Amino acid sequence: MREASLQAFRQLVNSGQMGMQEQSICDHLAEHGAPLTLQEIAKVTGFGINSVSGRVHGLKKKEILQECEKRQCHLTKRIVTPVFIAGFRDV
């Protein structure tokens, strides 16, 4: 599944079918190299939390992003489920 997700990600990027916000979220996740929470993504991208939530949900449905083990958010201090680009990290 990871290789298929990675291929799907590359195809979306190369085809131009990924929206600007989706692309920015994926770029930041790839650059960061570790899973991020929605609040952390909102902070680094400058997008509102509602926009981030919608884009991340769509990317999870496309199997581009995956959830990983829960942890404390560095910003809110709440226990949440971060996301990462499928195939870029072992869970």
Side-chain angles (χ1 to χ4, degrees):
M1 179 166 128
R2 280 189 287 194
E3 185 58 34
S5 295
L6 193 52
Q7 278 184 325
F9 171 69
R10 289 182 181 141
Q11 284 178 334
L12 280 174
V13 169
N14 293 335
S15 71
Q17 292 179 6
M18 189 178 286
M20 182 207 69
Q21 288 184 335
E22 290 176 322
Q23 181 66 54
S24 181
I25 288 168
C26 289
D27 288 347
H28 279 89
L29 282 166
E31 187 178 302
H32 190 264
L36 294 173
T37 69
L38 299 186
Q39 288 288 349
E40 291 164 349
I41 293 170
K43 182 177 180 183
V44 297
T45 60
F47 302 144
I49 190 62
N50 290 336
S51 294
V52 170
S53 180
R55 300 303 80 73
V56 166
H57 178 73
L59 289 165
K60 288 192 301 188
K61 286 182 83 169
K62 294 176 188 175
E63 297 184 348
I64 302 302
L65 297 184
Q66 286 182 310
E67 295 180 342
C68 63
E69 61 278 355
K70 291 184 179 199
R71 67 162 172 82
Q72 187 177 43
C73 175
H74 298 117
L75 301 172
T76 66
K77 307 303 182 204
R78 296 171 57 194
I79 301 298
V80 293
T81 306
V83 296
F84 63 98
I85 298 174
F88 279 42
R89 176 183 184 272
D90 290 326
V91 280

